[in-house]
Amino acid sequence: AKSFEPQLACFCCSRSAARAQESARCLNYPLPVGLKIAEVPCAGAISADHLLKTFQQNVDAIVVLTCHPDNCHSETGNRMVNDRVTRLKQLLPQIGLEPERLMIGSLASNMSSEFARILNEQKEIIRKIGPSPIKGLN
């Protein structure tokens, strides 16, 4: 039997997590196979609609990585998206998704090993849960 390989999407703040992701790749840290990265100017621009549409695009989980609290270039973007993700996680069971399929964290640009650790831990959580029941639905 073929083992399940979770497909993850990661939204990365361009000033923090995106730089950590680049360093992680340069340093050859192991990252989940098929990881999809979306670099955004500010994580605060990520809407609940973006996240819901991403779940329909052949992914099993979404990770949103922002700047650290009080270190956001846009001042409040990380707090705004944190509030959105928290509310959306509460609603996910209503559409048949486990809240664990959506996670948010914060990184600085120099945290490449943390970037890899977060993504690999999320992959293992999703591996235990199984494939998304709405993957690929339009």
Side-chain angles (χ1 to χ4, degrees):
K2 186 177 179 186
S3 65
F4 167 58
E5 191 62 44
Q7 298 298 302
L8 303 179
C10 183
F11 287 91
C12 296
C13 171
S14 66
R15 295 178 181 270
S16 58
R19 304 292 74 83
Q21 178 263 151
E22 289 170 358
S23 294
R25 290 188 190 279
C26 286
L27 294 169
N28 293 317
Y29 286 120
L31 296 171
V33 174
L35 174 64
K36 298 173 185 175
I37 300 288
E39 183 176 331
V40 293
C42 176
I46 302 166
S47 69
D49 191 51
H50 282 114
L51 298 170
L52 289 169
K53 286 182 179 178
T54 301
F55 274 120
Q56 294 178 334
Q57 297 176 0
N58 207 32
V59 299
D60 298 295
I62 300 171
V63 176
V64 178
L65 294 173
T66 73
C67 302
H68 285 307
D70 300 322
N71 199 30
C72 179
H73 182 75
S74 301
E75 294 184 24
T76 60
N78 52 4
R79 288 190 302 250
M80 291 186 325
V81 75
N82 188 56
D83 291 345
R84 282 186 205 117
V85 168
T86 299
R87 285 193 306 273
L88 185 57
K89 283 179 74 133
Q90 294 169 351
L91 298 173
L92 286 180
Q94 295 177 28
I95 60 171
L97 292 175
E98 299 86 350
E100 295 83 4
R101 292 187 185 279
L102 177 60
M103 71 91 51
I104 187 164
S106 64
L107 290 175
S109 60
N110 64 345
M111 297 177 74
S112 54
S113 64
E114 278 292 299
F115 178 87
R117 182 192 60 76
I118 288 169
L119 273 292
N120 285 304
E121 284 178 2
Q122 185 66 8
K123 177 187 77 170
E124 291 308 315
I125 290 167
I126 300 307
R127 184 175 276 152
K128 292 174 186 167
I129 294 172
S132 169
I134 68 164
K135 193 156 86 170
L137 297 178
N138 292 322

